[in-house]
């Protein structure tokens, strides 16, 4: 009965099974006893987002942030809730706070890069991705997002160079190889596709 982890797992299972009210109550009961147990707050906010209950998600994320004012995750989830509700400026403020508390946070950095891309500020977007890589150099998805930003910008050679750099760092990775192969196929450069597959 004293296992907080077992209670949290029970709450998560109830939510996944569609028993929202018992699941949410189980998680709230945890927070009443252990207000610093962040996993319960995370599950509550994510459940509201899954239900597209945006007002509930924002309120729950605010309560999470108030209980854990130095938690980067609380600000990241608050940013997600604001973003889902279309409150761009508030979302950006929350994501920036998450980055301040946890430099290089992949979720917050990627979200802010998304805002930059929507403004056609490709270099700013890449700077956010690079900030993440400074703290998480093994995050291959950020490398792929850098390549994708070059593609959206129309800088094909830079995109190819970025993909090749990713392949050099991850020679067994499938995703950058397939992206590069699809590019050459679209260009009718089939002679460049076979070597990419043969390398595997």
């Amino acid at each position: 009965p004293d296992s907080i982890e077992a209670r949290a797992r029970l709450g998560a299972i109830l939510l996944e099974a569609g028993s929202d009210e018992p699941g949410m109550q189980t998680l709230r009961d945890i927070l009443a006893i252990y207000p610093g147990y962040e996993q319960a707050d995370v599950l509550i906010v994510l459940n509201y987002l899954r239900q597209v209950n945006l007002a509930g998600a924002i309120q729950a994320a605010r309560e999470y942030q108030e209980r854990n004012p130095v938690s980067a995750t609380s600000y990241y989830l608050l940013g997600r809730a604001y973003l889902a509700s279309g409150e761009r400026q508030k979302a950006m403020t929350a994501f920036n706070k998450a980055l301040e508390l946890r430099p290089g946070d992949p979720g917050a950095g990627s979200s802010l890069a998304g805002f930059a891309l929507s403004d056609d500020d490709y270099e700013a977007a890449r700077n956010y991705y690079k900030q993440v890589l400074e703290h998480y150099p093994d995050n291959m998805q950020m490398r792929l997002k850098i390549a994708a930003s070059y593609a959206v910008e129309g800088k094909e050679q830079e995109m190819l160079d970025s993909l090749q750099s990713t392949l050099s760092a991850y020679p067994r990775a499938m995703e950058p190889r397939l992206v590069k192969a699809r590019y050459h196929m679209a260009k009718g450069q089939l002679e460049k596709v076979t070597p990419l597959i043969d390398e595997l």
Side-chain angles (χ1 to χ4, degrees):
D2 296 328
S3 173
I4 186 172
E5 290 81 9
R7 290 188 185 202
R9 284 196 293 272
L10 174 61
I13 289 169
L14 287 168
L15 292 179
E16 186 146 345
S19 300
D20 287 330
E21 192 49 47
M24 295 288 264
Q25 190 57 53
T26 299
L27 297 172
R28 290 191 186 101
D29 289 344
I30 292 172
L31 290 172
I33 304 170
Y34 307 101
Y37 192 74
E38 292 189 59
Q39 188 60 30
D41 270 313
V42 170
L43 289 169
I44 288 171
V45 177
L46 290 178
N47 189 58
Y48 278 127
L49 287 172
R50 180 180 61 82
Q51 295 175 328
V52 199
N53 182 343
L54 303 182
I58 290 171
Q59 181 61 33
R62 281 178 179 162
E63 291 171 1
Y64 175 17
Q65 179 264 316
E66 288 168 5
R67 275 190 289 269
N68 296 273
V70 295
S71 167
T73 304
S74 71
Y75 282 98
Y76 168 63
L77 289 178
L78 182 59
R80 280 188 57 182
Y82 279 133
L83 180 59
S85 67
E87 298 182 71
R88 174 184 169 123
Q89 195 55 52
K90 288 182 178 180
M92 290 180 69
T93 299
F95 290 138
N96 275 306
K97 184 64 177 179
L99 275 183
E100 178 187 320
L101 292 168
R102 185 164 56 215
D105 180 85
S110 188
S111 298
L112 288 167
F115 286 125
L117 288 174
S118 68
D119 293 334
D120 296 332
D121 193 344
Y122 304 105
E123 199 56 43
R126 285 189 283 271
N127 284 334
Y128 282 119
Y129 296 139
K130 289 172 183 176
Q131 284 178 40
V132 174
L133 287 169
E134 285 175 14
H135 294 85
Y136 301 92
D138 294 331
N139 192 317
M140 189 179 72
Q141 288 304 313
M142 291 302 123
R143 291 174 179 261
L144 290 172
K145 287 183 176 184
I146 289 173
S149 73
Y150 283 123
V152 173
E153 192 177 3
K155 294 184 174 181
E156 296 184 4
Q157 188 56 53
E158 287 86 346
M159 177 201 71
L160 290 171
D161 292 344
S162 182
L163 287 171
Q164 189 55 49
S165 173
T166 304
L167 281 172
S168 297
Y170 301 91
R172 296 173 63 95
M174 184 69 74
E175 193 171 352
R177 194 177 304 278
L178 290 177
V179 171
K180 198 171 180 183
R182 281 198 296 267
Y183 169 81
H184 289 309
M185 289 176 70
K187 292 289 184 178
Q189 301 166 343
L190 300 183
E191 72 283 356
K192 295 184 179 181
V193 175
T194 304
L196 282 168
I197 305 303
D198 286 345
E199 286 173 6
L200 291 173

